[in-house]
């Protein structure tokens, strides 16, 4: 694995230096060196330059690219059948290696294996196998579950239920502040000493990773909760198109807080869309304009009557800003579906476009980068 990593780094540098991104050019440039100097088996050499092409491509495509990427961890990319094979309780690898399987997730056994990644971390090997799983058919929804996001919480609901889930931004921010504290402590006005001390640097990186993990974890769990709720009651999930919101947040001065909020939105969007696909839950994206300032009952403009509380001067409807947003999102989603639900003759919802949740064009500004 160490040889593979060194060979991979050599391949990435060579491909980028030569702008060689085609298989045939990569083969000509690298194959014999990978075989002879790095002693890779034929199959591993091919997988190695394929992986290097993918890394080089994505780096060259990034307009804000920094230094040439380097693979640090120990991991090998394997093609099924040629690079690896699962046989009984063993995984056989190209080059004649065998690893005993001590446990695996059996839920996807019925689906064909595709490429895999073998990772060595913390004294253990893990084989991550990609599976080809058919997309489940989407059910005809009996109603809508609306999702409204704001920086403190996610509000999920419709005219009959409402669930609020706190965001972990403050908790994640705590670790960003710890990192910042270290950077300040080990810096002077003239130079940033913390960069030269590997111990401090490692600690700073650890805090940043911890903050990101908190957000990621929350996004996955929350997406799962939302989609399970919808599936249980056979509802469609509706959310606002957050592109505008994410863009406007990016315009703000760089801060850890905004970076974390943007990251949270993007990751939650990604996982909601993924879970919806995976579970056959219809997904609708609605126009976000004025969802929290229009009366969901009569459409009049609401007036503020207290902290985050609004009232309709026309029909007297009064509620919390977030509940109002949920009701408006539900309403817009229902009208998008043509108002026809539930009845067996209702047409299948077809305009469930797979997702744009402030789709990441670029990374958020600030120090966070996945
Ligand atoms: Zn009203």
């Amino acid at each position: 694995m160490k040889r593979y990593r060194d060979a991979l780094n050599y391949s990435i540098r060579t491909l980028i230096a030569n702008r060689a991104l085609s298989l045939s050019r990569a083969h000509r440039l690298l194959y014999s060196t990978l075989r002879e100097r790095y002693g890779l088996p034929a199959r591993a050499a091919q997988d190695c330059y394929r992986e290097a092409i993918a890394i080089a491509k994505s780096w060259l495509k990034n307009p804000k690219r920094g230094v040439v990427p380097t693979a640090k961890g120990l991991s090998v990319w394997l093609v099924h059948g040629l690079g690896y094979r699962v046989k009984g309780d063993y995984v056989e690898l190209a080059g004649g290696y065998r690893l005993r399987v001590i446990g695996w997730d059996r839920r996807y056994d019925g689906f064909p294996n595709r490429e895999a990644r073998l990772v060595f971390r913390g004294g253990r090997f893990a084989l991550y196998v990609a599976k080809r799983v058919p997309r489940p058919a989407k059910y005809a929804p009996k109603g809508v579950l609306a999702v409204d996001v704001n920086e403190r919480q996610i509000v999920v609901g419709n005219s009959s239920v409402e669930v609020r889930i706190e965001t972990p931004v403050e908790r994640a921010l705590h670790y960003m502040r710890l990192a910042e504290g270290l950077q300040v402590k080990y810096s002077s006005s003239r130079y940033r000493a913390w960069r030269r001390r590997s111990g401090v640097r490692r600690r700073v990186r650890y805090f940043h990773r911890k903050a990101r993990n908190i957000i990621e974890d929350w996004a996955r769990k929350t997406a799962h909760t939302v989609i399970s709720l919808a599936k249980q009651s056979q509802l469609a999930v509706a959310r606002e198109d957050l592109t505008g919101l994410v863009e406007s947040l990016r315009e703000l001065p760089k801060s850890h807080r905004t970076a974390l909020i943007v990251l949270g939105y993007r990751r939650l969007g990604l996982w909601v869309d993924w879970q919806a696909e995976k579970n056959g839950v219809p997904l609708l994206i609605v126009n976000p304009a004025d969802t929290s300032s229009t009366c969901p009952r009569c459409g009049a403009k609401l007036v503020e009557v207290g902290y985050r509380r609004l009232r309709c001067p026309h029909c007297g409807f009064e509620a919390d800003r977030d509940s109002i947003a949920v009701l408006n999102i539900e309403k817009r989603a229902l009208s998008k579906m043509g108002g026809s639900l539930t009845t067996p003759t209702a047409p299948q919802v077809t305009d469930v476009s797979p997702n744009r949740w402030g789709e990441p064009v670029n990374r958020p500004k600030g120090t966070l980068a996945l």
Side-chain angles (χ1 to χ4, degrees), residues 294-302 311-318:
T294 318
C295 175
R297 232 188 254 165
C298 71
K301 180 125 184 67
L302 298 167
R311 182 188 295 141
C312 175
H314 193 252
C315 72
F317 175 85
E318 185 187 317

Side-chain angles (χ1 to χ4, degrees), residues 63-244:
K64 286 191 239 162
R65 58 182 173 247
V67 290
V68 171
T70 316
K72 296 199 180 80
L74 290 176
S75 91
V76 180
W77 196 75
L78 303 162
V79 170
H80 181 243
L82 301 160
Y84 79 100
R85 206 171 334 169
V86 184
K87 245 190 173 177
D89 282 343
Y90 286 87
V91 174
E92 295 180 350
L93 305 174
Y97 302 96
R98 278 197 345 152
L99 294 168
R100 193 163 63 83
V101 176
I102 56 173
W104 73 53
D105 182 347
R106 308 223 70 138
R107 280 177 299 172
Y108 302 99
D109 276 10
F111 301 103
N113 289 335
R114 304 191 66 214
E115 68 276 15
R117 176 172 290 284
L118 181 69
V119 178
F120 184 71
R121 199 188 293 137
R124 274 164 168 259
F125 287 99
L127 185 71
Y128 295 95
V129 181
K131 293 277 190 174
R132 183 176 287 265
V133 179
R135 199 166 270 173
K138 292 193 159 77
Y139 53 75
K142 293 183 177 147
V144 167
L145 190 69
V147 183
D148 175 59
V149 301
N150 64 59
E151 81 168 78
R152 291 166 306 115
Q153 60 187 6
I154 303 299
V155 188
V156 185
N158 53 32
S159 342
S160 43
V161 288
E162 192 181 284
V163 182
R164 295 183 176 222
I165 302 163
E166 297 285 309
T167 70
V169 169
E170 289 307 317
R171 200 153 43 89
L173 207 52
H174 168 72
Y175 288 95
M176 297 302 252
R177 293 208 181 99
L178 288 178
E180 223 164 44
L182 276 180
Q183 286 164 323
V184 170
K185 187 171 165 194
Y186 291 96
S187 296
S188 74
S189 55
R190 262 172 303 146
Y191 99 123
R192 288 177 286 184
W194 65 273
R195 285 189 179 227
R196 302 233 171 147
R197 295 222 201 159
S198 65
V200 178
R201 220 166 51 219
R202 210 172 323 133
R203 203 85 188 120
V204 165
R205 224 176 298 153
Y206 165 80
F207 286 140
H208 282 191
R209 199 165 52 230
K210 183 105 183 158
R212 277 201 310 270
N213 288 348
I214 287 173
I215 300 278
E216 177 69 15
D217 223 51
W218 168 85
R220 284 183 188 230
K221 281 186 194 146
T222 307
H224 186 257
T225 310
V226 170
I227 296 297
S228 308
L229 271 173
K231 200 179 179 182
Q232 254 170 36
S233 319
Q234 301 276 291
L235 303 172
V237 166
R239 61 166 175 79
E240 294 169 301
D241 183 347
L242 290 177
T243 318

Side-chain angles (χ1 to χ4, degrees), residues 255-295:
S255 78
H256 286 323
R257 183 190 295 275
T258 13
L260 288 170
I261 293 170
V262 168
L263 182 70
Y265 285 171
R266 279 184 35 202
R267 300 309 290 175
L268 180 67
L270 190 101
W271 287 113
V272 164
D273 296 352
W274 155 257
Q275 286 283 351
E277 279 295 335
K278 196 176 144 193
N279 288 287
V281 175
L283 181 72
L284 290 130
I285 291 142
V286 305
N287 179 2
D290 305 323
T291 44
S292 50
S293 59
T294 318
C295 175

